[in-house]
Amino acid sequence: PWLKTKLMTSEISSWTERLDGPVSYYPPLRRSSSAHQLGGGGSGPSGAAGSAYNGAVASRRFLRPNLPDGKTAQERGEEREQRQRSRERRGEIHGELIAQTSAEGVLRVAAGIVAAGGELGPNHVVTALHRSAKFASRGDTSIAQDPRWKDLVLRAGSFAPEMLPMSLALSVWAFATAKCQDGPALDAISSAFRAHEGDCKPHDLSGTAWAYAVLEASNLNLFADIAHRSSERIGDFLPQDLSMVVWAFARILCLNAPLFDTVAAAAVEKHKEFAGQNLANTLWAFGHASHLHEPLFACFTQMCIRNMKTLGPVEISTALWACASVAYTTGVATQMFADAVDHVAPLAPRLEVQQLTSIAWSYARVGYRSPGLFATVSREVVGRSLPLEPSEINRLVWAFAYPGRPTEERTGRAGGFRHPALLAHVGAEAGQKLGRLDALQASSVAWAFATLAYRDEGLFVSLGTSITASGALRSFDVQNIAYLTWALARLRVPHPELMRQACEEALERGLGAFDHRHLSMLLWAMARLGEQHRGFWAAVGAQVPGIYASHLDDAQGVASLAMVIHALHKAGERPATLKLLESVLAKDVDISGDAYGGWLSGSQVAGDVETELHLWSHMSKTAPSHGLRAAASNKYVIRALELGHRARAVEGLELQAEAGLTNAVSPLLRAKAGLEGGDGIAASLIAQPLGWRPRMRSEGVKQARAAGRVLCKWDYYKEVGVLEYVLARATPGDPASVCLAIEAFSREEHLYLKLGAEEKGLALDAMLRSVASSFGDTPPLIVEIGCYVGYSSTRMSSKLPPGGRLVTIEVDCYHAAIARSVLELSGMSPRVEVWIGHSENLIPRLMSRFGPNCVHAIFFDQKGTRYHDDLDMLEDGLLAEGAFVCADNVVRPGAPEFMWRVCDPAGRYETQAIAHRDYGQDSVEDWVSLSRFCPSEASREPAACPAILEQLAYESDQIRNRSINERVTEEEWRIFATRVRREFEEAGILPPVLYPQGNGGGLSDLFVELQPWRRHPPLVVPSAG
């Protein structure tokens, strides 16, 4: 071993050869030692040899000759010859190992030497391990179980104390490359490495850390020593060493923040020396460790931008993923994401599936919506039929379904990219790997498919069966259970056994283990799929009111409350809803309009007058604005009068006056209640001005009045603005003036209101004329779904014959309150019933209220993608033969599945379309469809909707949701509407399109002349309701 000592010089060798005794090791001396004696007091050599000798003495180890042992010169010569032969043999062995070009060759040579009685020294073992592992990795062969390899590993462990740090690092590198996790050998090498810590070079430190990380051998003491020594010598580290050491610490999640900060500072200083792989590994480490070091990320993202064209698949995918992982979304990061879109497209054929999924995940995570990039990812995955591992399935479907705005947490809202071909591919891959999907992956697939409205019933049934059969639901956390059950309910895929097990899991863990949002999702899912687990619902009734009542000041709890209330009503747990309502009323806080709507809907269905009136009284005190409180106060009085509670109505009017909530409707209500002094009240109305602000030039409008000011945006600001405008300008008792005032408000304030006005109104008028001609003197029942502020209700009810009724359904109770005031002002209130709640819950109520075949006309004015579901319910014994179905906005934003149903030539409907243009968007052509219900024996059941229309329906919801939260330009609407009409034509949806005609006298001169209906069903007089 002394021949290997690096401190040995030629002078020392010459000198030791002349000594009279053999050379042996001596314990190390301190570096500060200045004078040492040999033997019994003789001094060391002088001159050049003495200088070399003194250098050796100053090292950690030095050589000393033994005293004369009485051997003859011949004996010493023989020993020298033996040592020379040994040296030559060791050199031969080393040469044989180096000469091999395969792992098999290296292992064969090493085993042959041992079998022949030869000796493998530490250097030979290291060389054999290193070269065999290197060749095996190149040939993709496994040697970890080979007995010859195992023998080398055993020898490496025994030789570890004699090895230098470089040899130790090479040995453990070989272990990692061959995926050999030999605990005793790794422990021995770790101990030896720590003993030589002070002699380690940067590459030894980084290489050893890398190897132990690859083997997932998280020796914390070793890593602590490496971190300490690396921090001390960080200035000597090359870029590769810097990237390797932080990569290793991140890989085993040994998150040593001081080390990461030290490495980051050194990396920024040496960033010009970083190659692409070093940059990628460094960013990956900081991303995986969730360690945001802003100077490092700023420096490296700028490097990526400057060198974008030279970045390969690994570099670009890792850089994007790292920024997304630590939420680094500053301006420079946004620029990198923008520039990378164009770089990824030509690079895509070279990207592996892991890189494609990471890129998609990164863009979704930071909220950078790039349809082109996601289309590229989809095209590559589908076009190349790439196999997907469970983790890749999870990342991919989450990325395509995620809303695209990190702050938007509402499930099912806009943002996802629905690519049917990709979802079909992912579904097939997931179906083949059901047993390998963990809880997160299984729930992510289900959630993504439901969010993207992609119904793969076979996959969902198989997934549910796999989970229930294996008992895997026990490993799901509460969030996974909530998302899985919500997805089944959203797509209406029943799986009773899975739902039963989910109920039992929820009971075992306790409902309190769920946070508000996930508990509301679970309850909604159980209610929608009709789960009847009595133990579950008993626990819900006992615990849920308390859970939510204690968090009414929490925004998340309030946001989830509406879903809980609707679920409890649907499940028949009304006592629980009332108990929860008591808590809300006791705290005197304002809850969302949708939550109030759930309570009001349940109260109307149950005939619970007291609760209904109590709710309106509460809303008149707690609504978020003066206008809404006034509308709620009016609604309280109107409802009390309708129910015959005059004393309650009078009390409400007095409270209204005390609170300053009187308006132009108040005198009319006082007169109805038989109170005097209505005129005085009208003269002393307490005016609460709307919130006005100067209109910015960038909001460019055409009207002179609107050019100076605009309504501030707060909850229901447009609807309250309509009400106050109408109350100030319309003539009481004149429905035409009320409708004109609403239209004028929309024009003057340059605000889009979803009204059946102007050209749309002509379609409603045409429908009512058709009803009158088809049903003669029979008092018609008109049903409207989507009341909004009451414009179409007022217009239609004013044209009904004596005895005619209109039922309008509105999900938002504040909209309903405003509409009630509008109807009261117009004088149409006696003809109209305003039902509050979701259409799916209230349409069945028509049967009990009016009897079978009672509906003569229906006007759909809610979300277009719900029209066909509501039509299904109406066809089940509620529509009279010959009834008319009118639907608004079937092109913009669209109702593809509904139009497929009513335009089927062999179906139950005959349909015409009336073209119109909404106010302020003259280039966008929309349609109002008008259909006649003509069932016959020859009518066929609805055919399955084509995939192209399902995709169009999803995108219709996306642009509709965008228009609620942000501005969709006229050009965007024009392009989308043109596409809808084109795809209608491709699918065979070809109704005759009618255009309003006139004599040039403006809107008031327009009219629509319907084509003759080709089918003439027999006149059936509905039974009296």
PDB file of all heavy atoms in Angstrom, residues 484-507:
ATOM      1  N   LEU A 484     -64.210  11.403  -5.502  1.00  0.00           N
ATOM      2  CA  LEU A 484     -64.653  10.204  -6.215  1.00  0.00           C
ATOM      3  C   LEU A 484     -66.172  10.120  -6.249  1.00  0.00           C
ATOM      4  O   LEU A 484     -66.773   9.901  -7.310  1.00  0.00           O
ATOM      5  CB  LEU A 484     -64.054   8.966  -5.541  1.00  0.00           C
ATOM      6  CG  LEU A 484     -64.432   7.619  -6.154  1.00  0.00           C
ATOM      7  CD1 LEU A 484     -63.943   7.524  -7.589  1.00  0.00           C
ATOM      8  CD2 LEU A 484     -63.839   6.478  -5.325  1.00  0.00           C
ATOM      9  N   THR A 485     -66.814  10.299  -5.111  1.00  0.00           N
ATOM     10  CA  THR A 485     -68.272  10.214  -5.076  1.00  0.00           C
ATOM     11  C   THR A 485     -68.915  11.367  -5.844  1.00  0.00           C
ATOM     12  O   THR A 485     -69.924  11.182  -6.534  1.00  0.00           O
ATOM     13  CB  THR A 485     -68.771  10.202  -3.625  1.00  0.00           C
ATOM     14  OG1 THR A 485     -68.242  11.345  -2.924  1.00  0.00           O
ATOM     15  CG2 THR A 485     -68.310   8.941  -2.906  1.00  0.00           C
ATOM     16  N   TRP A 486     -68.316  12.559  -5.743  1.00  0.00           N
ATOM     17  CA  TRP A 486     -68.844  13.708  -6.493  1.00  0.00           C
ATOM     18  C   TRP A 486     -68.811  13.436  -7.988  1.00  0.00           C
ATOM     19  O   TRP A 486     -69.748  13.770  -8.721  1.00  0.00           O
ATOM     20  CB  TRP A 486     -68.028  14.953  -6.168  1.00  0.00           C
ATOM     21  CG  TRP A 486     -68.422  16.142  -6.989  1.00  0.00           C
ATOM     22  CD1 TRP A 486     -69.399  17.045  -6.727  1.00  0.00           C
ATOM     23  CD2 TRP A 486     -67.824  16.557  -8.228  1.00  0.00           C
ATOM     24  NE1 TRP A 486     -69.461  17.994  -7.716  1.00  0.00           N
ATOM     25  CE2 TRP A 486     -68.510  17.724  -8.646  1.00  0.00           C
ATOM     26  CE3 TRP A 486     -66.788  16.065  -9.009  1.00  0.00           C
ATOM     27  CZ2 TRP A 486     -68.175  18.386  -9.830  1.00  0.00           C
ATOM     28  CZ3 TRP A 486     -66.461  16.723 -10.190  1.00  0.00           C
ATOM     29  CH2 TRP A 486     -67.146  17.866 -10.580  1.00  0.00           C
ATOM     30  N   ALA A 487     -67.733  12.818  -8.461  1.00  0.00           N
ATOM     31  CA  ALA A 487     -67.597  12.546  -9.891  1.00  0.00           C
ATOM     32  C   ALA A 487     -68.665  11.569 -10.370  1.00  0.00           C
ATOM     33  O   ALA A 487     -69.275  11.753 -11.433  1.00  0.00           O
ATOM     34  CB  ALA A 487     -66.198  12.002 -10.182  1.00  0.00           C
ATOM     35  N   LEU A 488     -68.899  10.515  -9.602  1.00  0.00           N
ATOM     36  CA  LEU A 488     -69.950   9.552  -9.973  1.00  0.00           C
ATOM     37  C   LEU A 488     -71.318  10.241 -10.066  1.00  0.00           C
ATOM     38  O   LEU A 488     -72.090   9.987 -10.990  1.00  0.00           O
ATOM     39  CB  LEU A 488     -69.999   8.419  -8.951  1.00  0.00           C
ATOM     40  CG  LEU A 488     -68.823   7.431  -8.973  1.00  0.00           C
ATOM     41  CD1 LEU A 488     -68.848   6.551  -7.735  1.00  0.00           C
ATOM     42  CD2 LEU A 488     -68.882   6.566 -10.226  1.00  0.00           C
ATOM     43  N   ALA A 489     -71.588  11.111  -9.101  1.00  0.00           N
ATOM     44  CA  ALA A 489     -72.880  11.797  -9.104  1.00  0.00           C
ATOM     45  C   ALA A 489     -72.972  12.813 -10.233  1.00  0.00           C
ATOM     46  O   ALA A 489     -74.024  12.972 -10.859  1.00  0.00           O
ATOM     47  CB  ALA A 489     -73.103  12.485  -7.754  1.00  0.00           C
ATOM     48  N   ARG A 490     -71.888  13.517 -10.488  1.00  0.00           N
ATOM     49  CA  ARG A 490     -71.901  14.538 -11.540  1.00  0.00           C
ATOM     50  C   ARG A 490     -72.219  13.917 -12.895  1.00  0.00           C
ATOM     51  O   ARG A 490     -72.958  14.480 -13.707  1.00  0.00           O
ATOM     52  CB  ARG A 490     -70.547  15.234 -11.582  1.00  0.00           C
ATOM     53  CG  ARG A 490     -70.365  16.209 -12.742  1.00  0.00           C
ATOM     54  CD  ARG A 490     -71.059  17.521 -12.480  1.00  0.00           C
ATOM     55  NE  ARG A 490     -70.970  18.414 -13.622  1.00  0.00           N
ATOM     56  CZ  ARG A 490     -69.973  19.259 -13.855  1.00  0.00           C
ATOM     57  NH1 ARG A 490     -68.965  19.329 -12.990  1.00  0.00           N
ATOM     58  NH2 ARG A 490     -69.984  20.041 -14.908  1.00  0.00           N
ATOM     59  N   LEU A 491     -71.653  12.731 -13.158  1.00  0.00           N
ATOM     60  CA  LEU A 491     -71.885  12.062 -14.440  1.00  0.00           C
ATOM     61  C   LEU A 491     -73.055  11.076 -14.382  1.00  0.00           C
ATOM     62  O   LEU A 491     -73.325  10.397 -15.365  1.00  0.00           O
ATOM     63  CB  LEU A 491     -70.611  11.333 -14.873  1.00  0.00           C
ATOM     64  CG  LEU A 491     -69.417  12.241 -15.185  1.00  0.00           C
ATOM     65  CD1 LEU A 491     -68.191  11.408 -15.512  1.00  0.00           C
ATOM     66  CD2 LEU A 491     -69.728  13.200 -16.313  1.00  0.00           C
ATOM     67  N   ARG A 492     -73.694  11.013 -13.221  1.00  0.00           N
ATOM     68  CA  ARG A 492     -74.853  10.126 -13.025  1.00  0.00           C
ATOM     69  C   ARG A 492     -74.501   8.678 -13.375  1.00  0.00           C
ATOM     70  O   ARG A 492     -75.181   8.011 -14.153  1.00  0.00           O
ATOM     71  CB  ARG A 492     -76.047  10.599 -13.854  1.00  0.00           C
ATOM     72  CG  ARG A 492     -76.586  11.956 -13.424  1.00  0.00           C
ATOM     73  CD  ARG A 492     -77.840  12.318 -14.222  1.00  0.00           C
ATOM     74  NE  ARG A 492     -78.352  13.616 -13.870  1.00  0.00           N
ATOM     75  CZ  ARG A 492     -79.182  13.880 -12.862  1.00  0.00           C
ATOM     76  NH1 ARG A 492     -79.576  12.887 -12.088  1.00  0.00           N
ATOM     77  NH2 ARG A 492     -79.612  15.098 -12.623  1.00  0.00           N
ATOM     78  N   VAL A 493     -73.417   8.188 -12.784  1.00  0.00           N
ATOM     79  CA  VAL A 493     -73.017   6.788 -12.930  1.00  0.00           C
ATOM     80  C   VAL A 493     -73.274   6.104 -11.590  1.00  0.00           C
ATOM     81  O   VAL A 493     -72.513   6.295 -10.641  1.00  0.00           O
ATOM     82  CB  VAL A 493     -71.534   6.654 -13.314  1.00  0.00           C
ATOM     83  CG1 VAL A 493     -71.155   5.183 -13.430  1.00  0.00           C
ATOM     84  CG2 VAL A 493     -71.256   7.383 -14.623  1.00  0.00           C
ATOM     85  N   PRO A 494     -74.339   5.332 -11.478  1.00  0.00           N
ATOM     86  CA  PRO A 494     -74.629   4.716 -10.184  1.00  0.00           C
ATOM     87  C   PRO A 494     -73.674   3.571  -9.863  1.00  0.00           C
ATOM     88  O   PRO A 494     -73.302   2.790 -10.743  1.00  0.00           O
ATOM     89  CB  PRO A 494     -76.061   4.180 -10.378  1.00  0.00           C
ATOM     90  CG  PRO A 494     -76.191   3.969 -11.852  1.00  0.00           C
ATOM     91  CD  PRO A 494     -75.327   5.005 -12.514  1.00  0.00           C
ATOM     92  N   HIS A 495     -73.273   3.495  -8.610  1.00  0.00           N
ATOM     93  CA  HIS A 495     -72.462   2.371  -8.133  1.00  0.00           C
ATOM     94  C   HIS A 495     -72.822   2.185  -6.660  1.00  0.00           C
ATOM     95  O   HIS A 495     -72.119   2.666  -5.766  1.00  0.00           O
ATOM     96  CB  HIS A 495     -70.977   2.638  -8.304  1.00  0.00           C
ATOM     97  CG  HIS A 495     -70.141   1.389  -8.286  1.00  0.00           C
ATOM     98  ND1 HIS A 495     -70.038   0.573  -7.165  1.00  0.00           N
ATOM     99  CD2 HIS A 495     -69.389   0.790  -9.260  1.00  0.00           C
ATOM    100  CE1 HIS A 495     -69.256  -0.443  -7.429  1.00  0.00           C
ATOM    101  NE2 HIS A 495     -68.846  -0.343  -8.703  1.00  0.00           N
ATOM    102  N   PRO A 496     -73.919   1.487  -6.388  1.00  0.00           N
ATOM    103  CA  PRO A 496     -74.433   1.393  -5.013  1.00  0.00           C
ATOM    104  C   PRO A 496     -73.419   0.890  -3.997  1.00  0.00           C
ATOM    105  O   PRO A 496     -73.364   1.399  -2.879  1.00  0.00           O
ATOM    106  CB  PRO A 496     -75.625   0.423  -5.152  1.00  0.00           C
ATOM    107  CG  PRO A 496     -76.035   0.534  -6.589  1.00  0.00           C
ATOM    108  CD  PRO A 496     -74.778   0.773  -7.347  1.00  0.00           C
ATOM    109  N   GLU A 497     -72.612  -0.107  -4.368  1.00  0.00           N
ATOM    110  CA  GLU A 497     -71.680  -0.668  -3.395  1.00  0.00           C
ATOM    111  C   GLU A 497     -70.603   0.339  -3.013  1.00  0.00           C
ATOM    112  O   GLU A 497     -70.230   0.467  -1.848  1.00  0.00           O
ATOM    113  CB  GLU A 497     -71.038  -1.936  -3.958  1.00  0.00           C
ATOM    114  CG  GLU A 497     -70.015  -2.584  -3.033  1.00  0.00           C
ATOM    115  CD  GLU A 497     -70.591  -3.004  -1.689  1.00  0.00           C
ATOM    116  OE1 GLU A 497     -71.825  -3.159  -1.585  1.00  0.00           O
ATOM    117  OE2 GLU A 497     -69.802  -3.172  -0.738  1.00  0.00           O
ATOM    118  N   LEU A 498     -70.102   1.079  -3.993  1.00  0.00           N
ATOM    119  CA  LEU A 498     -69.100   2.089  -3.690  1.00  0.00           C
ATOM    120  C   LEU A 498     -69.684   3.177  -2.795  1.00  0.00           C
ATOM    121  O   LEU A 498     -69.040   3.617  -1.827  1.00  0.00           O
ATOM    122  CB  LEU A 498     -68.561   2.712  -4.983  1.00  0.00           C
ATOM    123  CG  LEU A 498     -67.539   3.835  -4.807  1.00  0.00           C
ATOM    124  CD1 LEU A 498     -66.278   3.305  -4.131  1.00  0.00           C
ATOM    125  CD2 LEU A 498     -67.182   4.465  -6.140  1.00  0.00           C
ATOM    126  N   MET A 499     -70.900   3.611  -3.087  1.00  0.00           N
ATOM    127  CA  MET A 499     -71.515   4.652  -2.278  1.00  0.00           C
ATOM    128  C   MET A 499     -71.777   4.148  -0.866  1.00  0.00           C
ATOM    129  O   MET A 499     -71.613   4.889   0.117  1.00  0.00           O
ATOM    130  CB  MET A 499     -72.808   5.135  -2.932  1.00  0.00           C
ATOM    131  CG  MET A 499     -72.640   5.653  -4.359  1.00  0.00           C
ATOM    132  SD  MET A 499     -71.391   6.936  -4.534  1.00  0.00           S
ATOM    133  CE  MET A 499     -72.315   8.373  -4.032  1.00  0.00           C
ATOM    134  N   ARG A 500     -72.153   2.881  -0.740  1.00  0.00           N
ATOM    135  CA  ARG A 500     -72.377   2.315   0.596  1.00  0.00           C
ATOM    136  C   ARG A 500     -71.084   2.292   1.398  1.00  0.00           C
ATOM    137  O   ARG A 500     -71.047   2.682   2.575  1.00  0.00           O
ATOM    138  CB  ARG A 500     -72.950   0.896   0.470  1.00  0.00           C
ATOM    139  CG  ARG A 500     -73.296   0.252   1.815  1.00  0.00           C
ATOM    140  CD  ARG A 500     -73.615  -1.220   1.650  1.00  0.00           C
ATOM    141  NE  ARG A 500     -72.451  -1.979   1.238  1.00  0.00           N
ATOM    142  CZ  ARG A 500     -71.472  -2.367   2.061  1.00  0.00           C
ATOM    143  NH1 ARG A 500     -71.529  -2.049   3.349  1.00  0.00           N
ATOM    144  NH2 ARG A 500     -70.448  -3.069   1.614  1.00  0.00           N
ATOM    145  N   GLN A 501     -70.001   1.841   0.757  1.00  0.00           N
ATOM    146  CA  GLN A 501     -68.724   1.806   1.458  1.00  0.00           C
ATOM    147  C   GLN A 501     -68.249   3.219   1.816  1.00  0.00           C
ATOM    148  O   GLN A 501     -67.651   3.428   2.881  1.00  0.00           O
ATOM    149  CB  GLN A 501     -67.672   1.101   0.603  1.00  0.00           C
ATOM    150  CG  GLN A 501     -67.881  -0.407   0.486  1.00  0.00           C
ATOM    151  CD  GLN A 501     -66.688  -1.100  -0.143  1.00  0.00           C
ATOM    152  OE1 GLN A 501     -65.580  -0.543  -0.216  1.00  0.00           O
ATOM    153  NE2 GLN A 501     -66.893  -2.339  -0.599  1.00  0.00           N
ATOM    154  N   ALA A 502     -68.524   4.172   0.934  1.00  0.00           N
ATOM    155  CA  ALA A 502     -68.135   5.555   1.226  1.00  0.00           C
ATOM    156  C   ALA A 502     -68.889   6.077   2.445  1.00  0.00           C
ATOM    157  O   ALA A 502     -68.326   6.784   3.291  1.00  0.00           O
ATOM    158  CB  ALA A 502     -68.394   6.448   0.011  1.00  0.00           C
ATOM    159  N   CYS A 503     -70.173   5.729   2.547  1.00  0.00           N
ATOM    160  CA  CYS A 503     -70.957   6.131   3.723  1.00  0.00           C
ATOM    161  C   CYS A 503     -70.372   5.539   4.998  1.00  0.00           C
ATOM    162  O   CYS A 503     -70.250   6.226   6.025  1.00  0.00           O
ATOM    163  CB  CYS A 503     -72.409   5.681   3.559  1.00  0.00           C
ATOM    164  SG  CYS A 503     -73.362   6.625   2.355  1.00  0.00           S
ATOM    165  N   GLU A 504     -70.008   4.269   4.927  1.00  0.00           N
ATOM    166  CA  GLU A 504     -69.473   3.615   6.121  1.00  0.00           C
ATOM    167  C   GLU A 504     -68.099   4.187   6.494  1.00  0.00           C
ATOM    168  O   GLU A 504     -67.798   4.332   7.690  1.00  0.00           O
ATOM    169  CB  GLU A 504     -69.395   2.111   5.871  1.00  0.00           C
ATOM    170  CG  GLU A 504     -70.779   1.468   5.751  1.00  0.00           C
ATOM    171  CD  GLU A 504     -70.723  -0.020   5.472  1.00  0.00           C
ATOM    172  OE1 GLU A 504     -69.595  -0.529   5.252  1.00  0.00           O
ATOM    173  OE2 GLU A 504     -71.786  -0.666   5.457  1.00  0.00           O
ATOM    174  N   GLU A 505     -67.287   4.508   5.485  1.00  0.00           N
ATOM    175  CA  GLU A 505     -65.998   5.145   5.775  1.00  0.00           C
ATOM    176  C   GLU A 505     -66.201   6.495   6.441  1.00  0.00           C
ATOM    177  O   GLU A 505     -65.494   6.856   7.394  1.00  0.00           O
ATOM    178  CB  GLU A 505     -65.184   5.308   4.490  1.00  0.00           C
ATOM    179  CG  GLU A 505     -64.477   4.060   4.022  1.00  0.00           C
ATOM    180  CD  GLU A 505     -63.405   3.598   4.997  1.00  0.00           C
ATOM    181  OE1 GLU A 505     -62.675   4.447   5.540  1.00  0.00           O
ATOM    182  OE2 GLU A 505     -63.300   2.382   5.222  1.00  0.00           O
ATOM    183  N   ALA A 506     -67.159   7.257   5.941  1.00  0.00           N
ATOM    184  CA  ALA A 506     -67.432   8.577   6.521  1.00  0.00           C
ATOM    185  C   ALA A 506     -67.910   8.435   7.968  1.00  0.00           C
ATOM    186  O   ALA A 506     -67.526   9.229   8.841  1.00  0.00           O
ATOM    187  CB  ALA A 506     -68.477   9.310   5.690  1.00  0.00           C
ATOM    188  N   LEU A 507     -68.721   7.422   8.219  1.00  0.00           N
ATOM    189  CA  LEU A 507     -69.199   7.217   9.591  1.00  0.00           C
ATOM    190  C   LEU A 507     -68.057   6.792  10.506  1.00  0.00           C
ATOM    191  O   LEU A 507     -67.955   7.246  11.653  1.00  0.00           O
ATOM    192  CB  LEU A 507     -70.299   6.162   9.594  1.00  0.00           C
ATOM    193  CG  LEU A 507     -71.648   6.574   8.994  1.00  0.00           C
ATOM    194  CD1 LEU A 507     -72.595   5.388   8.951  1.00  0.00           C
ATOM    195  CD2 LEU A 507     -72.256   7.710   9.798  1.00  0.00           C
TER     196      LEU A 507
END
